[in-house]
Amino acid sequence: MSDITQSLAEIVGESYVSDQPEEAYFYARDPGLMPTHEPDYVVIPKTVEEIQKVVRLANREKIPIVPMGAGMALTGLVIPLKGGIVVDMKRMTRIIEVNENARLVIVEGGTSQGLLKAHLEKNYPKLRHSIPDSPATATIAANVMIHGQGRLSQQYGFNSDMVAGLEVVLPSGEICKIGSNSISPDWFSKGAPMPDLSGLFLGWFGATGIITKVALKLYPRKKLRDIELFITDREDLMQEMVFELTHTEMVEDINIFTQPLPMIFKDNHHMAIFFTGDTDTELEFKRKMIWDSLDRFIRSKDGGFMGVSPAMKPTLLEMPQRSVSRFADVNKGGGFEYSGPIILVEKYPECAQKIKELAEKYELGYSGMARIIGRGHCMMYGFAFTFNRADPDMMERTRKALHEVSKFALEAGGVFWKATVDEQKMALDKMDPNTLALMGMIKKNIDPNGIMNPGNWEVR
Amino acid sequence: MKYADIVHRCFRCGYCKFTSDYTDFNCPAYRKFRFETYAPGGRMWLIRAWLNDEIKTSERFQEIIYSCATCANCVEHCVFTFSEDLVNIFIAAREELVSEGIIPPPVRDFLKNIHVNGNPYKEPANERGKWAEGTSIETYNGQEYLFYVGCVGSYDERAKKIAATVGSLLVKAGVSVGILGEKETCDGNEVKALGEAGLFELLAEQNIESFKKLGIKKIITLDPHGFNAFKNDYPALGGEFEVYHYTQILAQLIRSGKVDLKEYKAKVTYHDPCYLGRHNGEYKAPREILKSIPGLELIEMERNGENAFCCGGGGGNFFTDILGGGEDSPNRIRTMEALDTGAEIIAVACPQCAKMLEDGIKAEELDDKLKVMDIAEIVTQALP
């Protein structure tokens, strides 16, 4: 056992530290297509104090340290690009406090989306959080760290907008409280009305600290939930349709998907419109408002509502949608990856054309999926391609297609979501120089030894 | 390796680790070790790496492969079309390790003992039927059913008592049943699960031949593990028998009024054995029995039925103890979950679960709060 391994074992216990080839292999990669790089150590701490000690050790020894949730970003954000210590957060799963009337929850940094969902459903049936469609094992902290989106993003913005406070272990090993909790026992705001320091951590992919606690805003959970599917082949009208729908303020979530199979789906755009109600009356009122909002498109023969069969409905209403993961194996290959730039909804037609063009060019299966963020303020457009892990040529074609997506997205005015290292470089190259300098200043001052997830958001 | 053409298809999304409602991580090996490598997805990715010679057959790799309790939680919750094969894939990897002769020492010892002694306890065959001494259970001589108890029921002190209770109950209820006694041999379920396919086939073929010679057509098993082997694996080797777990027969007997039950006041929670539940879909019979006892209050644990958390004894771990030790061992976690229900008795339908959970109670120092009783023992308490 090396000195570092021994030191880590003294902190987290021998059972929860590994420098073995098996963990090195697994934690060197995520399910996506990014190049692998092995960690030297993997640790699974149980407490904030253990994390502090691990970080202090890393800082003292100048060893890179990479916090990891479930590693489901697919863009390599938890691959230890420069080796070092991967900190698997998933032993820290406590739901510390739910303030039912204020609709707030505080969770530990490794709490999964699934665990919080189950906890709320069982104990607080009137509360919910904005659950993403990533697998249930994805963690709350990692999701807000990457500015994830979820089922409530159309109403309330990015999931990171729903953060109500953070606790972070800084690269120095100190604990830092972010938000109202820095001066109050109550966690209800990540910044306002004070300076919002959460921006020093959210979106940084762990390059400025390790989130050990998250306070999250919760929202009303209605008793009933339903979906309507509006289909159109007029991608050029999509923004207008979204505008009308969001104007109703009746919609829970809007996802727009396009895919080549089954054949009847080809060249159509399916707007999955989710809505909720406490009573049938409320639900039916919202349904009518939704139908009315798109009535002019029906009358102009530019679209129509598709019946959702009872067999299809549970799949669509499920949270998270397991079918998203199933996409990985449609070709019996176990892989998919997507680039999901955040971009204006008006760019929908260009995105929809681009994914078809790339799928044809690189002979790949695809699924385009847009999630509306805010009341049509922007969208995440997911360019998803499925690949076969046993087919290196197909994997390479997928990489090339995704690289083209990155170039397209930037040129179209989009911003990369959970950017790969290459995308981060592209973004930094294009960034306003003063903004870039500010980012560099922040990183240098918070993490002077450059130990936190090095390789990510590196301003040169 | 069998299934080598499937292993690359795991996306490692992790649904396999959970219960269906995501209440908790439900893979016993993952709960114990917490490295992703010990979860089904990690195991899949490592098997692929191992087949591609990217990692070696290390002690840790062996531990990872043998830490699977074959509880089939992953089979139940994996979202992909190959989910049915997950446990089979892990067993196939074990078969490769066995064929290479590189297996953890406790696995080696278990297999050796079965091969040499016909049981994992290194006990002589003529001790096998001693559990029935003092009971009115007869040796099989053409009765309607063979009552097959298996290695654990035959040799383990606690399990022997359960075997005697079940057997006596069947006789008392008028079931035409006989045992093989010292002629009984290992059913091989754990041998197969630990990857010794050749030895399993040998045992199965011996049993099939012996059963057929004796004219056995119907079998009642004490142990869900034997039940699983007879029901699912023997037919492919020519062993077509009508197979029942004893709880299925007992439920029928109670339903038909052949077993009367008086009041037995107790708060009971039921632990689903994986080889009765997830592997064979029998969740109802044990609960039907318990609910038919006047005064008995059945309180479900949060994880039950197809979401039940394994005691950690499956897949040979009862003998190899790879999942044992420490507060994160599955039997201790399950014991605490049972305690949370407020029950005073954990009802089981498997002698291996009984032992595992009794060990859990001891480790958690809960002897004054909880006890483990087999369903047959509870029913016996409720007999007039």
Side-chain angles (χ1 to χ4, degrees), chain B residues 5-22:
Chain B
D5 58 336
I6 292 179
V7 287
H8 70 281
R9 291 172 57 190
C10 170
F11 184 58
R12 69 187 239 195
C13 57
Y15 283 108
C16 53
K17 287 189 289 196
F18 275 107
T19 56
S20 57
D21 67 355
Y22 317 125

Side-chain angles (χ1 to χ4, degrees), chain B residues 38-70:
Chain B
Y38 287 79
R43 215 173 273 124
M44 288 285 277
W45 280 54
L46 287 183
I47 289 170
R48 184 167 183 234
W50 179 62
L51 291 173
N52 291 339
D53 214 19
E54 292 175 271
I55 58 167
K56 304 294 176 198
T57 315
S58 64
E59 281 182 22
R60 192 167 182 91
F61 179 71
Q62 295 168 51
E63 182 181 74
I64 287 166
I65 296 301
Y66 276 100
S67 65
C68 170
T70 67

Side-chain angles (χ1 to χ4, degrees), chain A residues 15-16 20 22-23 25-27 29 44 90 114-115 118 122 135 137 322 325-326 329 332 334 388-389, chain B residues 8-9 11-13 15 20-23 30 34-37 42 48-49 58 60 79-80 302 328:
Chain A
S15 301
Y16 300 111
Q20 298 297 302
E22 290 73 21
E23 281 71 41
Y25 177 87
F26 188 90
Y27 288 86
R29 62 206 75 223
I44 318 178
K90 292 191 295 298
L115 185 65
K122 281 186 184 159
T137 187
R322 289 175 169 92
S325 292
R326 281 190 200 108
D329 203 42
K332 298 193 164 120
N388 185 340
R389 282 186 202 287
Chain B
H8 70 281
R9 291 172 57 190
F11 184 58
R12 69 187 239 195
C13 57
Y15 283 108
S20 57
D21 67 355
Y22 317 125
T23 299
Y30 180 70
R34 300 312 284 262
F35 287 100
E36 288 287 339
T37 41
R48 184 167 183 234
S58 64
R60 192 167 182 91
V79 300
F80 294 107
E302 184 153 25
D328 288 327

Side-chain angles (χ1 to χ4, degrees), chain A residues 169-181:
Chain A
V169 171
L170 299 174
S172 61
E174 290 154 336
I175 294 175
C176 193
K177 292 183 173 180
I178 303 296
S180 59
N181 58 319

Side-chain angles (χ1 to χ4, degrees), chain A residues 27-99:
Chain A
Y27 288 86
R29 62 206 75 223
D30 72 6
L33 286 163
M34 293 302 110
T36 61
H37 197 289
E38 292 192 352
D40 298 298
Y41 318 93
V42 181
V43 296
I44 318 178
K46 179 75 176 165
T47 66
V48 178
E49 291 71 29
E50 287 177 7
I51 290 182
Q52 287 181 278
K53 287 178 185 171
V54 171
V55 172
R56 284 192 181 117
L57 171 71
N59 209 8
R60 188 174 67 240
E61 302 292 334
K62 297 190 174 46
I63 301 170
I65 186 162
V66 179
M68 174 189 173
M72 295 311 303
L74 311 185
T75 50
L77 304 183
V78 296
I79 293 173
L81 302 173
K82 298 183 181 176
I85 305 166
V86 167
V87 182
D88 184 332
M89 297 291 289
K90 292 191 295 298
R91 277 178 78 215
M92 295 177 62
T93 59
R94 280 186 311 136
I95 294 169
I96 296 163
E97 184 185 327
V98 176
N99 184 330

